[in-house]
Amino acid sequence: MVMDPRDDEEVEESSAFVCPVCDETFDSQQELETHGEDEHEDTEIDSKQP
C-alpha cells in the first residue's frame, strides 16, 4: 500500500477553525459558529457578487 505523503504533513489550518470573514481562529466548530452568529450575522459568506 502506498502512503500518501500529505498524511505526514502537519497542516496548521486543520487543527483550527478559521473565520472566513475576519480570519480569526477558533479551537472548535462550535466556537466558530457562535462567533459568526455574534459578530457577522449580517455578513453573507460565500456569496459571489458579479
Side-chain angles (χ1 to χ4, degrees), residues 3-45:
M3 297 296 291
D4 187 339
R6 292 174 292 182
D7 291 342
D8 294 334
E9 294 178 16
E10 286 190 33
V11 180
E12 194 172 319
E13 218 167 348
S14 68
S15 61
F17 296 88
V18 182
C19 178
V21 179
C22 67
D23 292 331
E24 190 171 341
T25 58
F26 300 91
D27 293 330
S28 72
Q29 181 69 36
Q30 182 61 46
E31 288 178 25
L32 174 58
E33 288 178 11
T34 302
H35 163 78
E37 291 169 1
D38 293 344
E39 301 297 325
H40 308 298
E41 67 179 302
D42 293 333
T43 305
E44 293 220 13
I45 300 172

